[in-house]
Amino acid sequence: MKFTGSQKYITTQDLMLAVNAAISLQRPLLIKGEPGTGKTMLAEQVAASLGKPLLQWHIKSTTKAQQGLYEYDAVSRLRDSQLGDEKVNDIRNYIHQGTLWQAFNADKQVVLLIDEIDKADIEFPNDLLRELDRMEFYCYETRETIRAKHRPIIFITSNNEKELPDAFLRRCFFHYIRFPDHDTMQQIVDVHFPGLKKALLKEALQVFFDIREMPGLKKKPSTSELLDWIKLLVAEDIPVDALKSGDANKLIPPLYGALIKNEQDVHLFERLIFLSKRRG
Amino acid sequence: MLIDFFLSLKESGLPVSVKEYLNLCEAMQKGLAYGSVDDFYYLCRTCLIKDEANYDRFDRAFAHYFKGVENLDAALTKLFEKDIPDEWLKMLSEKTLSDEEKAQIEAMGGWDKLMETLRQRLEEQKGRHQGGNKWIGTAGTSPFGAYGFNPEGIRVGQDKSRNKSAVKVWDQREYRDYDSQVELGIRNVQMALRRLRKFARSGAEEELDLDHTIKATASNAGHLDIKMVPERHNRVKVLLFLDVGGSMDEYIHRCEELFSAAKTEFKHLEYFYFHNFFYESVWRNNRLRHTEKFSTWDVLNKYGKDYKLIIVGDATMSPYEILQPGGSVEHWNEEAGSVWLQRLLATYKNAAWINPSQEAHWQWTQSVTITRQLMGDRMYPMTVEGLDRAMKALL
């Protein structure tokens, strides 16, 4: 069982190795990287290419670790007891399985994505140590231990908003998705827009990397923004010439709003364009 | 077999643990990196390093330990082919240089001269180190190190279209930009934001209102009637005073970031601007500072003593501006600035002064010393560690 990228997802050698190490050693893989470099996509693509079901657990600032295991709905049980419902005799009726339980309980191995773990409370990762390490947890209400039938392949993504505790990190493999270089980027675009004209792609990538190189940008455009932008260029049928920066009057690339999303960055961008125009 | 390697990683200050080392051994046993040094390098990194800030240090340690495993390549000669973008160097240095250092640069003949020298230096290096794997100016022997543009911190002239297979991956040191010890400004403020958040989060909990539930159930003839209390929000109230203009100009970027961080963190945030020191009025909109003034008395009366006072300013001015009536540089003040600060401190027991200038320089400025005395030593530098202390003092 080996992951070698897929038709919709280009992987670099280091990412592939990290994924395969995580799969064969059955440890969670923690993925960090600039926003829009395909962290969440990775789990989807691995699941698709290995032919395994994907379970997703999206973390919010209010998410508690317990919610991933199970939740005991004491309030409805109390209500049911007052109404004399038969259901009340079995506590199992009031235990709602969380994503981790489902993943542990699945009959075949699944891919589990814990998305944006850094959004949760600082203590959140610490509450999942044993669950991720031993792949088991204890359900107090039913007095049973839930053990993974097949250790799921776990991907955890983080945007670096909070630092994760050391004990947690030690249990994971780690990979930082770097921003793709020019060649990789070309492959990525090829995969998404197979029929794209070579000339347009070349110019678009040039403009894109030029913008990324600009000093002082608050939010650099990322892969997903490039793809959006190209989609727009294709939809609007912008001619290749419009992108060529040789013409001093058309230095601002068309539809640049798809690439630059911060108001201050737009100002900075326009100012730099103005400066370079004057120089030229 | 790799114990020495593991120990050398540990020695270079990387936070690696035995468990991670065993993981690596297990992965090796499974044949995940067989017959390729590159694969081995990636595998080591995946197993042992858990923070991209440590990637660069790992690259160096790896290169050091495995030097000579592969033949050195001549591909690095391409490294300095590209010109260094002036804008970039300029921006970087403006951010990092202090006033004295800027003066020194002027003494050397200004920016252009310096850039010229730097470029010459690069040229020389290109010749001398052809085929080697060393970058320019590491240890601060070059004048550029001393001025804070240690070219280590930036990718000087890295040729993007470099032939990939020819260069050892770890020697490219592509992650140097992520090393937290190199990057100063932005990361610091991000960390600061984190501290503020930690501080802001305390006490956020969701609860069942038990007393109320029991009462409601009883009056409901025994039928359950759940009562909840709304989630407790962060109740920290912050009164923020920001020094603007004059000597504060060079810290604007950092103050902005601190301010926007604070603004998203605290629901109850009131902010005002002042210039150099406190007098009878402050303002809220810097553009309308002369027309739209708020009396400091009003501020004192309006915001209760449960507000926490945070003052951001470099406290660098003439001592008269603090101690003398009429000492303000802008107008005639009836009462001395120190009187106003003492009034503020009398109302707000929890107070901290955050000073963006370097802590080591404080003792050389008389006004900073005076301000510190007035604040009862509660002055903290605008660094991660300083903000941490400030937040602790405010709690």
Side-chain angles (χ1 to χ4, degrees):
Chain A
M1 193 165 55
K2 239 180 159 191
F3 176 67
T4 49
S6 74
Q7 299 201 315
K8 280 247 146 213
Y9 195 84
I10 301 293
T11 43
T12 49
Q13 191 196 358
D14 48 345
L15 177 60
M16 214 137 61
L17 199 106
V19 171
N20 286 325
I23 292 176
S24 58
L25 276 111
Q26 303 187 318
R27 295 240 157 55
L29 179 63
L30 173 66
I31 308 268
K32 277 207 238 170
E34 273 184 50
T37 39
K39 298 188 289 292
T40 309
M41 274 281 275
L42 176 71
E44 292 168 12
Q45 293 303 323
V46 170
S49 77
L50 298 179
K52 294 186 185 303
L54 173 71
L55 290 177
Q56 303 191 30
W57 184 16
H58 298 282
I59 309 296
K60 293 186 228 157
S61 64
T62 51
T63 309
K64 303 260 179 326
Q66 186 65 32
Q67 292 169 348
L69 310 179
Y70 64 91
E71 279 178 297
Y72 172 43
D73 193 353
V75 174
S76 6
R77 197 178 185 208
L78 266 174
R79 280 224 169 91
D80 282 357
S81 79
Q82 294 196 317
L83 300 170
D85 198 313
E86 271 303 300
K87 260 167 65 182
V88 84
N89 294 321
D90 191 358
I91 197 166
R92 275 167 231 273
N93 290 326
Y94 301 95
I95 290 191
H96 302 299
Q97 297 184 357
T99 324
L100 271 178
W101 189 328
Q102 289 168 22
F104 287 0
N105 227 2
D107 286 327
K108 58 187 261 202
Q109 194 183 34
V110 297
V111 176
L112 172 65
L113 168 68
I114 303 178
D115 208 8
E116 317 210 33
I117 196 165
D118 54 326
K119 297 281 178 295
D121 194 75
I122 320 176
E123 287 304 320
F124 180 86
N126 279 334
D127 296 342
L128 285 177
L129 291 181
R130 182 181 158 86
E131 284 71 17
L132 292 180
D133 200 25
R134 307 282 301 274
M135 303 266 181
E136 64 178 37
F137 62 90
Y138 185 71
C139 175
Y140 294 95
E141 281 76 7
T142 59
R143 295 192 190 77
E144 58 179 337
T145 305
I146 314 295
R147 249 183 219 103
K149 290 183 186 163
H150 306 276
R151 286 175 77 100
I153 302 168
I154 302 181
F155 292 96
I156 302 165
T157 70
S158 163
N159 272 325
N160 232 355
E161 275 189 26
K162 286 190 202 79
E163 251 165 292
L164 300 169
D166 282 346
F168 177 79
L169 291 175
R170 238 175 278 136
R171 285 164 170 83
C172 303
F173 283 161
F174 173 74
H175 184 76
Y176 182 86
I177 299 190
R178 310 188 23 229
F179 198 80
D181 56 17
H182 200 284
D183 294 347
T184 318
M185 195 53 111
Q186 193 137 11
Q187 288 176 26
I188 292 172
V189 177
D190 278 346
V191 157
H192 285 264
F193 303 100
L196 199 66
K197 277 174 277 175
K198 272 269 173 302
L200 179 71
L201 175 59
K202 193 163 156 271
E203 294 302 330
L205 278 180
Q206 190 58 45
V207 172
F208 172 73
F209 276 101
D210 283 352
I211 291 180
R212 266 188 73 86
E213 296 258 306
M214 263 170 49
L217 271 196
K218 282 221 156 81
K219 161 82 179 71
K220 289 179 178 172
S222 68
T223 319
S224 62
E225 275 140 11
L226 172 71
L227 295 178
D228 284 348
W229 184 53
I230 291 181
K231 213 181 280 172
L232 277 177
L233 289 180
V234 175
E236 298 277 319
D237 212 9
I238 303 280
V240 179
D241 302 341
L243 291 175
K244 281 197 176 130
S245 43
D247 185 357
N249 292 321
K250 287 182 184 164
L251 271 170
I252 300 185
L255 306 165
Y256 66 89
L259 289 175
I260 302 176
K261 297 188 171 163
N262 183 310
E263 199 187 323
Q264 279 164 309
D265 283 352
V266 173
H267 286 316
L268 177 78
F269 184 65
E270 284 167 353
R271 218 168 51 227
L272 284 181
I273 296 286
F274 176 72
L275 281 177
S276 67
K277 243 190 212 175
R278 218 173 35 179
R279 215 178 290 147
Chain B
M1 59 177 197
L2 292 165
I3 291 175
D4 283 344
F5 170 56
F6 173 71
L7 290 177
S8 80
L9 288 182
K10 190 106 198 156
E11 256 170 48
S12 59
L14 287 161
V16 286
S17 71
V18 177
K19 188 181 158 96
E20 286 158 326
Y21 169 66
L22 292 177
N23 276 345
L24 174 65
C25 292
E26 197 186 334
M28 294 293 288
Q29 200 183 23
K30 294 222 168 172
L32 277 165
Y34 184 73
S36 156
V37 190
D38 280 0
D39 279 357
F40 174 66
Y41 160 76
Y42 288 138
L43 188 67
C44 285
R45 206 180 63 186
T46 296
C47 294
L48 298 171
I49 306 301
K50 304 295 163 69
D51 187 352
E52 73 275 13
N54 288 330
Y55 272 13
D56 186 46
R57 231 179 303 164
F58 173 73
D59 283 359
R60 273 178 286 165
F62 191 92
H64 185 247
Y65 190 81
F66 288 99
K67 215 191 297 180
V69 172
E70 273 199 344
N71 288 330
L72 282 181
D73 227 301
L76 281 157
T77 47
K78 283 188 176 179
L79 284 180
F80 301 121
E81 275 177 8
K82 206 181 152 200
D83 280 348
I84 318 140
D86 286 10
E87 289 289 329
W88 204 345
L89 285 177
K90 211 156 183 173
M91 262 184 97
L92 188 87
S93 42
E94 265 167 14
K95 244 188 236 162
T96 47
L97 298 187
S98 76
D99 268 336
E100 297 92 303
E101 287 160 343
K102 277 179 197 155
Q104 271 175 302
I105 288 171
E106 285 305 316
M108 265 189 78
W111 276 112
D112 296 339
K113 180 90 168 66
L114 201 66
M115 291 298 145
E116 195 47 45
T117 326
L118 176 58
R119 206 164 277 128
Q120 276 171 15
R121 200 60 55 94
L122 281 173
E123 283 293 310
E124 282 169 37
Q125 293 256 339
K126 178 182 169 185
R128 221 183 305 143
H129 280 290
Q130 201 156 36
N133 61 351
K134 290 284 180 285
W135 294 68
I136 15 145
T138 41
T141 47
S142 122
F144 304 105
Y147 292 130
F149 356 58
N150 185 352
E152 280 249 311
I154 41 167
R155 302 178 188 194
V156 175
Q158 190 167 330
D159 192 343
K160 277 170 295 173
S161 59
R162 204 170 346 128
N163 183 4
K164 229 176 159 186
S165 59
V167 190
K168 288 195 288 179
V169 259
W170 51 92
D171 265 350
Q172 293 173 15
R173 295 193 49 203
E174 278 162 333
Y175 294 93
R176 66 181 67 218
D177 289 357
Y178 300 118
D179 194 332
S180 50
Q181 290 176 345
V182 176
E183 196 182 352
L184 279 168
I186 295 170
R187 205 175 177 94
N188 263 355
V189 182
Q190 278 174 341
M191 292 300 282
L193 189 146
R194 236 166 267 174
R195 306 287 150 166
L196 287 164
R197 181 175 292 172
K198 191 153 78 181
F199 161 53
R201 266 179 183 279
S202 66
E205 249 173 310
E206 196 176 19
E207 300 176 334
L208 170 80
D209 189 348
L210 195 57
D211 289 344
H212 201 180
T213 304
I214 293 172
K215 210 185 262 175
T217 308
S219 62
N220 206 11
H223 274 276
L224 195 64
D225 189 3
I226 301 284
K227 296 286 174 204
M228 305 289 279
V229 277
E231 197 175 340
R232 271 198 284 168
H233 290 294
N234 173 27
R235 293 235 199 107
V236 174
K237 297 174 180 175
V238 174
L239 194 54
L240 184 68
F241 286 96
L242 295 152
D243 185 358
V244 283
S247 52
M248 283 297 285
D249 279 352
E250 54 190 298
Y251 309 116
I252 275 181
H253 190 60
R254 288 162 71 188
C255 289
E256 257 177 9
E257 284 185 306
L258 181 74
F259 178 66
S260 64
K263 216 172 167 186
T264 50
E265 279 310 310
F266 303 108
K267 278 225 176 68
H268 306 278
L269 173 76
E270 302 295 337
Y271 60 93
F272 294 96
Y273 297 109
F274 64 100
H275 183 57
N276 276 2
F277 217 78
F278 294 101
Y279 304 108
E280 60 280 350
S281 61
V282 289
W283 57 94
R284 221 183 186 139
N285 188 333
N286 207 26
R287 247 176 258 157
L288 303 172
R289 54 177 293 192
H290 295 294
T291 48
E292 211 182 88
K293 282 182 183 167
F294 290 81
S295 153
T296 312
W297 271 123
D298 286 351
V299 174
L300 279 166
N301 292 330
K302 187 171 175 190
Y303 303 107
K305 50 175 73 153
D306 52 338
Y307 272 85
K308 294 177 192 296
L309 179 69
I310 300 178
I311 305 162
V312 181
D314 61 354
T316 304
M317 66 203 98
S318 124
Y320 297 114
E321 292 180 53
I322 304 177
L323 298 172
Q324 284 289 323
S328 165
V329 281
E330 290 191 320
H331 68 298
W332 179 262
N333 52 314
E334 294 291 334
E335 286 169 296
S338 58
V339 176
W340 283 105
L341 182 60
Q342 273 158 351
R343 276 185 191 137
L344 281 169
L345 291 176
T347 310
Y348 307 109
K349 298 280 176 240
N350 295 310
W353 187 300
I354 294 170
N355 191 334
S357 66
Q358 281 181 36
E359 196 170 6
H361 296 171
W362 289 358
Q363 51 176 320
W364 309 115
T365 317
Q366 202 188 349
S367 61
V368 177
T369 316
I370 297 170
T371 313
R372 260 177 97 174
Q373 279 166 2
L374 286 170
M375 288 299 297
D377 218 27
R378 286 173 293 179
M379 183 181 278
Y380 307 93
M382 200 193 266
T383 61
V384 181
E385 181 267 337
L387 281 170
D388 202 22
R389 275 193 284 151
M391 292 306 125
K392 271 193 196 131
L394 280 175
L395 273 176

